């Protein structure tokens, strides 16, 4: 073989995690090479919910406009609905049991609009990944290679030597990198370094049918994104879930659809496409339904986490590090957040701005967040069964018995109506941990890692799952506010774009700004600094949101990391702001910040 290709970072895997990492490193000025054993991006619809923090990241990467243009319009992603099947011979077929707002209610929920300038988006992975790939290729021409397979790699003290094969030509070549990122779902990298995934496996088997069909004559209510068929014919909520997939029309007029069906782990019918389609027809109540089927995929619903995220110079992210049930849509989003957390740290180390120990904070910060996400996704799936139990549905009962149990909910004259309705309402309200988990998918924080504690106690959350409470306590994400520089108004978070630290001080915090700019000049560390507040500040708090959320005095300051999480906070002034700030940066970066040079 010829001399190895030299590259700072080799990325294995071309899904959302790998492609996001490639783009982020390019934006940070770090060259990378991505190889994927697959010939193309995903051909399956898979995940589709893109949370606000993910869309903030995609905004920085220059992807958001294209994604929003391709995604479901806001008016078509307001609700999720639960129905007694879809259609059929009984008059109760298709009757609504209830609706819930989902993930910001199509940019209508004031809590979500106050939290971020970016609303939740909805675009299936089969259409998202080509967008990511095109942008990754534009940022790193010739450095995104699909149909190239990792065969082996060896680590030493200075780097990683990998052997890759071009599957089209059979040619093998070596790549020498300082770090390797495993974003291949655990197929290769995990096995080579002995990383294992642990947790709940095979909770149920899921079968997804991606199809083209015209359902506009059967469905109503264009605000509903997810339709859960609580079908008495099959005993409960996992009778099926129907979701529009666009691509040109959405809501009830969507051309494509994805239908999910749950099976027991040992059910042999999961591998029989004809039986799956028959089951779908029965669940929909449409025996003659004949869609154009694009793909039928089988996958296990599980909640597992890797026993470690790092092995020497190898890091894993995305599905290689964790897999959780799709309930809540936390999997894809977590993968993008993994990439953001890791890449700015890699860039700092590779540029000589930080010690290698900074990279240990990747797992320290991400693992606790992932553990909570997996737990919530598993609990969300379990709540479906609790709702069925509240209704009285069971797969051990006949269809007639289940319909009779369901009818109690609607029959106010039935002696058990009030009790049954109260039990259902309670179980139904609990579903909000899946569809309004703003505290998890947006407000997650880091309690240890590359942060400097300010000694303040963590507040007791109102609801750690459902409610995001803005805070500038170290480890929390930077709260959203619009600021004005006199010429334009933009989100405060934009100041961190490009991998920069940002010092934000109160109106009387000019000494902090001077200190930060001095450190940047002396060390070359990318730090910008501003006072933000009223008309006396560098940046005017356009809607006074920052004043409500900043939790510092007029002479205090916060230091924001490149991933827009608070790394350091001083509620008030400091006797020596330059030394204080240098000490904080030294602790975050794991290296002594010399300011006397």
């Amino acid at each position: 073989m010829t001399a190895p290709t030299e590259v700072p970072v080799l990325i294995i895997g071309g899904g959302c995690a790998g492609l996001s990492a490639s783009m982020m490193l390019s934006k940070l000025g770090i060259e990378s090479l991505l190889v994927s054993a697959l010939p193309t991006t995903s051909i399956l619809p898979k995940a589709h919910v893109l949370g606000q923090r993910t869309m903030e990241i995609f905004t920085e990467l220059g992807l958001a406009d294209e994604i929003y243009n391709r995604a479901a319009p806001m008016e078509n992603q307001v609700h999720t609905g639960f129905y007694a099947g879809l259609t059929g011979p009984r008059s109760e077929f298709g009757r609504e049991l209830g609706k819930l707002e989902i993930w910001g209610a199509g940019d209508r929920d004031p809590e979500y609009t106050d939290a971020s300038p970016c609303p939740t988006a909805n675009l299936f992975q089969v259409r998202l990944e080509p967008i990511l790939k095109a942008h990754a290729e534009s940022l790193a021409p010739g450095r995104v290679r699909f149909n190239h397979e990792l065969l082996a790699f060896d680590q030493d003290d200075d780097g990683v030597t990998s052997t890759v094969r071009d599957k089209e030509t059979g040619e093998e070549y070596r790549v020498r990198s300082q770090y390797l990122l495993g974003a291949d779902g655990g197929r290769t990298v995990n096995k080579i370094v002995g990383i294992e995934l642990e947790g709940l496996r095979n909770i149920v088997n899921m079968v997804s049918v991606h199809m083209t069909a015209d359902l506009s004559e059967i469905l109503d209510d264009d605000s509903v994104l997810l339709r859960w068929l609580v079908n008495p014919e099959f005993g409960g909520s996992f009778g099926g879930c129907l979701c529009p997939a666009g691509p040109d029309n959405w809501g009830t007029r969507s051309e494509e659809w994805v239908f999910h069906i749950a099976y027991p782990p040992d059910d042999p019918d999961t591998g029989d496409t004809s039986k799956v389609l028959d089951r779908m027809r029965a669940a929909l109540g449409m025996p003659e339904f004949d869609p154009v089927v694009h793909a039928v995929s089988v996958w296990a619903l599980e909640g597992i986490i890797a026993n470690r995220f790092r092995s020497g110079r190898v890091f894993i992210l995305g599905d290689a590090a964790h897999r959780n049930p799709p309930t809540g849509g936390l999997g894809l989003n977590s993968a993008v957040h993994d990439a953001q957390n890791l890449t700015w740290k890699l860039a700092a180390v590779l540029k000589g701005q930080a010690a290698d120990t900074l990279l240990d904070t990747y797992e320290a910060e991400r693992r606790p967040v992932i553990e909570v996400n997996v737990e919530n996704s598993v609990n969300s799936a379990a709540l479906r069964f609790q709702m069925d139990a509240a209704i009285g549905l069971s797969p051990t009962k006949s269809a007639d018995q289940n319909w009779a149990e369901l009818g109690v909910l609607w029959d106010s004259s039935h002696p058990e109506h009030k009790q049954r309705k109260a039990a259902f309402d309670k179980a139904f309200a609990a579903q909000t941990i899946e569809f309004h988990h703003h505290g998890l998918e947006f407000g997650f924080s880091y309690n240890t890692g590359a942060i400097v504690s300010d000694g303040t106690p963590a507040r007791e959350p109102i609801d750690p799952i459902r409610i995001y409470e803005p805070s500038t306590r170290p480890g929390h994400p930077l709260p959203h506010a619009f600021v004005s520089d006199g010429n334009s108004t933009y989100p405060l978070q934009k100041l961190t774009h490009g991998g920069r630290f940002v010092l934000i001080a109160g109106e009387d915090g000019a000494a902090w700004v001077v200190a930060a700019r001095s450190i940047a000049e002396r060390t070359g560390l990318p730090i910008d600094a501003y006072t933000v507040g009223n008309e006396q500040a560098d940046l005017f708090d356009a809607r006074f949101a920052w004043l409500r959320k900043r939790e510092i005095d007029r002479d205090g300051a916060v230091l924001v990391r490149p991933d827009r999480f608070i790394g350091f906070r001083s509620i008030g002034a400091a006797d020596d702001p330059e030394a204080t700030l240098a000490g904080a940066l030294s602790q975050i970066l794991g290296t002594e910040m010399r300011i006397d040079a």
Side-chain angles (χ1 to χ4, degrees), residues 164-498:
V164 179
R165 179 172 61 203
D166 182 335
K167 295 174 69 175
E168 182 176 350
T169 66
E171 176 192 2
E172 295 182 8
Y173 58 96
R174 290 176 297 161
V175 179
R176 179 68 177 171
S177 61
Q178 290 178 255
Y179 295 98
L180 184 148
L181 307 188
D184 61 344
R187 287 181 289 273
T188 303
V189 176
N190 291 35
K191 296 175 183 177
I192 293 175
V193 296
I195 292 177
E196 297 181 356
L197 291 161
E198 303 170 338
L200 296 173
R201 294 182 180 272
N202 301 320
I203 301 172
V204 295
N205 277 336
M206 299 296 299
V207 181
S208 299
V209 181
H210 180 203
M211 58 188 174
T212 292
D214 183 359
L215 299 175
S216 60
E217 297 298 320
I218 299 171
L219 301 175
D220 58 14
D221 197 343
D222 280 328
S223 75
V224 175
L225 181 70
L226 298 171
R227 287 175 165 81
W228 300 92
L229 306 185
V230 185
N231 199 330
E233 303 288 325
F234 297 99
S237 298
F238 280 103
C241 177
L242 185 65
C243 182
D248 299 318
N249 293 292
W250 293 84
T252 59
R253 297 182 297 110
S254 177
E255 299 92 354
E256 295 183 16
W257 298 86
V258 179
F259 189 81
H260 304 291
I261 315 171
Y263 286 88
D266 57 351
D267 194 322
D269 288 354
T270 57
D272 189 323
T273 297
S274 63
K275 290 184 177 180
V276 167
L277 295 178
D278 284 343
R279 170 73 178 268
M280 179 181 71
R281 294 184 182 99
L284 293 171
M286 302 167 65
E288 304 302 320
F289 185 49
D290 188 25
V292 176
V293 176
H294 304 294
V296 177
S297 54
V298 182
W299 46 280
L301 193 150
E302 52 192 3
I304 52 180
I305 305 175
N307 58 356
R308 52 200 167 104
F309 290 9
R310 178 180 190 180
S311 177
R313 290 179 170 269
V314 176
F315 298 83
I316 59 170
L317 61 161
D319 283 355
H322 46 81
R323 299 174 200 159
N324 48 294
T327 42
L330 294 170
L332 184 157
N333 292 286
S334 295
V336 177
H337 303 158
D338 290 347
Q340 185 196 38
N341 184 284
L342 179 57
T343 52
W344 80 264
K345 296 173 181 178
L346 279 170
V349 171
L350 288 166
K351 292 177 181 179
Q353 299 165 347
D356 182 81
T357 53
L358 175 62
L359 300 177
D360 289 331
T361 68
Y362 165 59
E363 179 173 347
E365 292 181 348
R366 292 299 300 157
R367 175 179 285 279
V369 173
I370 295 301
E371 288 174 345
V372 174
N373 286 351
V374 169
E375 180 183 16
N376 193 72
S377 295
V378 171
N379 289 343
S380 296
L383 284 173
R384 292 287 187 277
F385 298 108
Q386 292 184 26
M387 189 168 68
D388 293 343
I391 298 171
L393 302 181
S394 170
T396 64
K397 296 178 181 178
S398 68
D400 287 339
Q401 288 173 319
N402 279 323
W403 277 111
E405 296 285 6
L406 185 57
V408 175
L409 281 181
W410 299 316
D411 184 0
S412 58
S413 65
H414 195 284
E416 296 183 17
H417 169 74
K418 286 186 178 181
Q419 180 181 353
R420 183 72 56 86
K421 184 69 164 59
F424 171 78
D425 289 345
K426 182 178 180 180
F428 187 68
Q431 308 298 317
T432 51
I433 71 166
E434 176 180 355
F435 303 111
H436 196 295
H437 49 43
H438 208 208
L440 295 189
E441 59 95 3
F442 185 81
F444 62 87
S445 60
Y446 301 133
N447 297 319
T448 186
I451 58 174
V452 180
S453 172
D454 64 357
T456 58
R459 70 171 66 165
E460 187 66 29
I462 298 171
D463 185 319
I465 294 174
R466 296 175 174 88
I467 298 177
Y468 161 58
E469 298 178 77
S471 176
T472 59
R473 187 171 182 268
H476 283 254
L478 174 68
H480 167 50
F482 283 102
V483 295
S484 173
D485 60 11
N487 296 314
S488 59
T489 299
Y490 46 84
L492 187 62
Q493 62 185 242
K494 185 178 179 181
L495 300 178
T496 66
H497 287 190

